[in-house]
Amino acid sequence: MDERESDAGGGPATDGEDDATGESSAPSPESGPTDGSSLAAGAATPPAGDEATPSSDETTSPSNETTSPSDDTTASSADQPSDGRSPPSTAAENPADGSLLGRLEATTDDLQRRINRLFEVLRGSSIEVRPYRPDDGRFASFDLPDGETIIDRYWVNAPYAYVVITYDDEASEHYYYAVEPDLDDIEAELLSRARVDIRDPLLYRTDEEPTAEETLRTELQTLLEQYGVDVSMRTFHTLLYYLSRDFRGFGRIDPLMNDPHIEDISCDGYDLPIFVYHDDYTDIETNVAFDAEALDDFVIRLAQESGRHISVGDPVVGTTLPDGSRVELALGEEVTPRGSAFTIRKYADEPFTPIDLIDTGTFSVEQMAYLWLCIEHNKSLIFAGGTASGKTTSMNAVSMFIPPRAKVLTIEDTRELSLYHDNWLASVTRERLHEGSDIDMYDLLRSALRHRPEFIIVGEVRGDEAVTLFQAMNTGHTTFSTMHADSIETVINRLENEPINVPRAMVQSLDLLCVQTLTRVDGERVRRSKAIGEIGEIDQRTGELDYSRAFTWDADNDSFVESDSNLIEEIQSDRGWNRTERKREMNRRKRFLRLLVDLGTTGYREFTALVNEYYVDPERVMERLERAEENATGVDDATVDPDGDVGTGGLEADGDD
């Protein structure tokens, strides 16, 4: 395991100390070609991971071109004692022998080094900075540990950092290696000095953004010229990468944060390998770890960047990072005996849409069309499920069905929801800083009702705010929320009992319950809509709350079974539709969703815009989508008859009735 906890020959030689300051942020170093002597232009595969460090004909060795700022140059004859005697070599080499002469000689050597360094600074140098080119040499190399096989490799910050996924047959485990630019001893010392010396220029610079990429590049060039060193472009861009990683990115975990395949990052303590949840390999161990000092500093840094305070007296903090990711922090060993810890739930730049959820099999087209019609007609719903079952993701996705001009108000303790909606007011809870009082979800919910929203979306129901939420339902507000529960029965029991305590008469104002689960299908972890339930009235005989299932997931066949829906019947009555009109509308929405699946329309802005267009003129948008599909396939593969059924080669008729 020692090999996996190290940088496996490809990571920075100073990984154990380059984050000792606790600095963190997201790098965006000057981009070079994605080739790096190993990639074809535009290729997505990083360099082969089991080869040795680039040969001399590939890379100009920084050690040959770089003068160390603390060069141990031997003193010239002018610097020797006036009697011409050279100092005894044993004393100079081993000043720790305790002799007076040894200590004097050690002091003399240290003074000489300082003089040489000062001379270099005064002399200075001139560095011509240019973009990185493949012939400058490869940045990072990777040595494959014995017994492991490379099964995947991809860039996370080309051409600087890439990921290697291996498989150990003996352990039957996958391993995740973050490979960053190599550092030799001289480069490591330059980086250590530059990290310290560059802080003040960044802090006190006022003419531009202090941590902007251009500022880092300029300041690094200035520092290297002041040091009097002459570095290769590979060395310059390597140093720039690490400075950018530490000051603008997330330090040592920056490759993990830049990996689009990672959902969660979990650090469990000092000197322990970080684990990630990978969308292809699930939970997987990485080669990234923090020592005690570095981890404490990093946790404090994450809290500070989120505008929160963490200390030994208040060691647990849940907050949101500037990029939107959700993070849970623990400092020290009092509440987490193995040391400081953190878990980061990464924020997706592009939120999932209903099309994404259909593509992944979480919901069927029929379920999405059903939810769309219910949301349009102001039916309140709760998404329930266990941890990481996708509750919030699904709630955010179906919220894209909200009519375009409706006023939407969201309430969260950590910011996760993202809507493309013009009339949207987002609110987040706040803990008391110095004066005043906490602003919790109950406070925000009470305030929300004064904004006259049509739709209220609450991040999670778990306390006093639930009663207010259900009061809002009873007064005509449509509400969406999430809660932890694994079945319809459990949701109802949690709502009616401590600590939520919603009266049964108020619970029946809820219309829908969507229960999700994180499970396995064919050996892969997947998310599925386990059941969609409709809440009925209180049974007068038993006093219990009635409910029915509109959809149920069949685990044996990995399919969804549809049942009769009372809510659809209610909507039909409210709209004045007959059964044929209802079928036609449901089939048209299913066709709309299938067309977007076929066309690969997954961007949330584009999806929301198309849904809004559907509300205005459904016939026009359907015609446009049909033409788009014809142009894409060259075949008109669907013909819809006036009754809403689909003809030969198209979709099957809806089975509502």
Side-chain angles (χ1 to χ4, degrees):
M1 291 301 291
D2 292 337
E3 288 179 290
R4 286 186 287 272
E5 293 174 3
S6 70
D7 284 354
T14 59
D15 192 51
E17 80 267 14
D18 56 14
D19 284 302
T21 62
E23 296 293 340
S24 68
S25 45
S28 183
E30 181 177 355
S31 61
T34 58
D35 185 30
S37 303
S38 59
L39 293 179
T45 304
D50 53 353
E51 71 272 18
T53 305
S55 60
S56 58
D57 60 342
E58 296 179 274
T59 308
T60 302
S61 175
S63 60
N64 295 331
E65 297 185 13
T66 308
T67 303
S68 172
S70 59
D71 192 3
D72 291 321
T73 305
T74 305
S76 65
S77 58
D79 299 318
Q80 301 297 333
S82 58
D83 61 0
R85 293 176 295 162
S86 299
S89 59
T90 55
E93 294 169 2
N94 187 23
D97 60 3
S99 69
L100 177 60
L101 181 60
R103 292 195 298 272
L104 288 173
E105 292 298 340
T107 303
T108 302
D109 284 354
D110 182 68
L111 179 60
Q112 182 61 54
R113 285 193 293 269
R114 292 175 182 271
I115 293 172
N116 289 339
R117 183 179 301 171
L118 177 61
F119 176 76
E120 291 171 352
V121 171
L122 293 175
R123 182 188 66 186
S125 66
S126 180
I127 301 175
E128 296 293 332
V129 177
R130 57 167 173 76
Y132 173 79
R133 296 196 299 252
D135 58 5
D136 290 327
R138 184 176 300 162
F139 283 108
S141 58
F142 175 73
D143 293 332
L144 181 65
D146 294 338
E148 298 182 22
T149 304
I150 296 177
I151 61 173
D152 201 359
R153 188 193 342 257
Y154 53 88
W155 289 114
V156 289
N157 188 359
Y160 306 101
Y162 60 93
V163 167
V164 178
I165 308 291
T166 70
Y167 186 76
D168 188 329
D169 288 321
E170 184 176 349
S172 299
E173 295 285 352
H174 290 98
Y175 295 102
Y176 180 108
Y177 294 96
V179 186
E180 298 184 285
D182 304 322
L183 287 168
D184 61 23
D185 293 340
I186 294 174
E187 291 170 328
E189 184 174 354
L190 283 171
L191 178 60
S192 180
R193 288 189 58 192
R195 255 197 209 101
V196 175
D197 294 342
I198 208 170
R199 290 181 185 276
D200 286 347
L202 294 180
L203 287 172
Y204 297 108
R205 193 172 181 121
T206 58
D207 56 338
E208 57 184 283
E209 178 65 30
T211 58
E213 179 184 341
E214 185 59 38
T215 302
L216 280 171
R217 184 185 298 109
T218 302
E219 294 297 337
L220 175 61
Q221 181 180 356
T222 301
L223 285 176
L224 293 176
E225 290 175 348
Q226 290 176 355
Y227 297 159
V229 297
D230 187 15
V231 300
S232 67
M233 281 298 95
R234 181 203 170 277
T235 295
F236 180 88
H237 287 287
T238 295
L239 298 177
L240 181 61
Y241 166 80
Y242 282 108
L243 291 174
S244 189
R245 184 198 77 169
D246 294 342
F247 284 98
R248 303 185 64 228
F250 292 90
R252 197 170 306 180
I253 68 166
D254 202 69
L256 312 184
M257 294 295 290
N258 286 331
D259 189 342
H261 299 285
I262 289 179
E263 298 181 14
D264 293 88
I265 302 170
S266 179
C267 176
D268 301 324
Y270 304 141
D271 299 310
L272 297 174
I274 287 178
F275 280 79
V276 298
Y277 184 85
H278 195 284
D279 58 15
D280 289 328
Y281 307 103
T282 63
D283 295 297
I284 183 170
E285 180 182 319
T286 75
N287 66 321
V288 182
F290 289 87
D291 61 28
E293 182 181 2
L295 183 54
D296 289 345
D297 289 343
F298 187 70
V299 167
I300 293 171
R301 173 87 180 197
L302 290 179
Q304 291 174 342
E305 289 188 347
S306 306
R308 301 290 296 276
H309 171 75
I310 191 170
S311 64
V312 176
D314 189 15
V316 177
V317 168
T319 185
T320 303
L321 297 175
D323 73 338
S325 299
R326 189 171 66 186
V327 60
E328 190 70 21
L329 304 171
L331 180 65
E333 300 178 69
E334 293 188 9
V335 295
T336 48
R338 296 201 292 179
S340 297
F342 64 84
T343 298
I344 298 175
R345 177 76 61 85
K346 288 177 59 180
Y347 176 80
D349 294 332
E350 287 280 323
F352 274 54
T353 68
I355 304 304
D356 292 310
L357 298 181
I358 294 171
D359 277 338
T360 58
T362 304
F363 291 85
S364 66
V365 169
E366 290 74 18
Q367 287 173 310
M368 276 300 169
Y370 165 86
L371 290 173
W372 182 2
L373 197 63
C374 290
I375 290 169
E376 180 187 351
H377 292 86
N378 300 102
K379 304 302 180 184
S380 294
L381 61 90
I382 286 179
F383 282 91
T387 302
S389 60
K391 305 180 295 294
T392 303
T393 298
S394 296
M395 183 174 69
N396 191 94
V398 301
S399 297
M400 298 176 190
F401 291 129
I402 294 175
R405 296 300 179 183
K407 183 162 187 179
V408 182
L409 196 146
T410 59
I411 301 171
E412 303 173 85
D413 51 8
T414 56
R415 183 74 179 274
E416 291 184 90
L417 299 173
S418 180
L419 302 178
Y420 186 59
H421 196 86
D422 293 334
N423 197 6
W424 169 37
L425 176 61
S427 57
V428 183
T429 61
R430 190 205 70 181
E431 290 188 1
R432 180 182 60 208
L433 298 177
H434 303 290
E435 299 179 355
S437 58
D438 295 342
I439 300 176
D440 57 20
M441 297 186 74
Y442 178 70
D443 297 323
L444 291 176
L445 187 54
R446 286 192 306 170
S447 174
L449 297 177
R450 302 187 185 102
H451 288 276
R452 299 181 64 186
E454 296 177 57
F455 291 81
I456 302 174
I457 305 176
V458 178
E460 183 178 351
V461 171
R462 52 175 175 252
D464 294 340
E465 72 278 356
V467 175
T468 305
L469 185 69
F470 276 84
Q471 286 175 340
M473 289 184 198
N474 280 275
T475 55
H477 298 86
T478 305
T479 65
F480 305 161
S481 190
T482 70
M483 67 184 305
H484 283 82
D486 60 1
S487 67
I488 297 174
E489 296 83 359
T490 305
V491 173
I492 296 174
N493 287 333
R494 283 204 63 199
L495 289 173
E496 293 182 346
N497 295 287
E498 294 283 352
I500 300 178
N501 288 324
V502 178
R504 183 168 294 173
M506 296 179 67
V507 175
Q508 66 178 340
S509 62
L510 179 66
D511 299 299
L512 289 169
L513 279 174
C514 298
V515 182
Q516 292 190 203
T517 183
L518 179 63
T519 185
R520 289 189 177 273
V521 173
D522 296 331
E524 296 185 6
R525 273 216 293 195
V526 297
R527 295 176 174 90
R528 292 290 184 266
S529 174
K530 187 177 177 181
I532 298 180
E534 299 179 350
I535 304 299
E537 298 180 351
I538 297 174
D539 192 315
Q540 298 300 320
R541 295 173 301 168
T542 64
E544 298 294 324
L545 192 64
D546 282 339
Y547 64 88
S548 60
R549 286 178 170 82
F551 292 90
T552 306
W553 178 57
D554 183 353
D556 294 334
N557 302 315
D558 189 24
S559 60
F560 299 98
V561 179
E562 186 175 359
S563 305
D564 292 335
S565 168
N566 294 325
L567 283 181
I568 297 299
E569 295 282 350
E570 182 181 317
I571 293 171
Q572 174 184 327
S573 177
D574 292 342
R575 293 289 296 268
W577 290 335
N578 57 38
R579 295 174 63 184
T580 299
E581 290 171 329
R582 189 195 75 189
K583 287 181 62 177
R584 180 185 293 115
E585 181 60 30
M586 289 293 292
N587 277 328
R588 185 165 61 186
R589 297 189 187 213
K590 293 175 189 177
R591 177 61 178 163
F592 175 91
L593 295 170
R594 285 195 176 97
L595 284 170
L596 295 189
V597 170
D598 294 340
L599 294 171
T601 307
T602 58
Y604 78 107
R605 291 182 177 86
E606 184 179 4
F607 177 84
T608 305
L610 287 169
V611 170
N612 292 345
E613 187 177 347
Y614 184 96
Y615 281 124
V616 176
D617 192 338
E619 296 294 342
R620 183 180 65 185
V621 70
M622 289 299 298
E623 289 176 3
R624 187 156 59 84
L625 292 175
E626 295 280 3
R627 287 197 302 270
E629 188 193 41
E630 291 176 19
N631 293 334
T633 62
V635 179
D636 183 7
D637 57 2
T639 305
V640 182
D641 69 23
D643 293 329
D645 294 332
V646 180
T648 305
L651 308 175
E652 297 181 357
D654 183 43
D656 285 341
D657 300 297

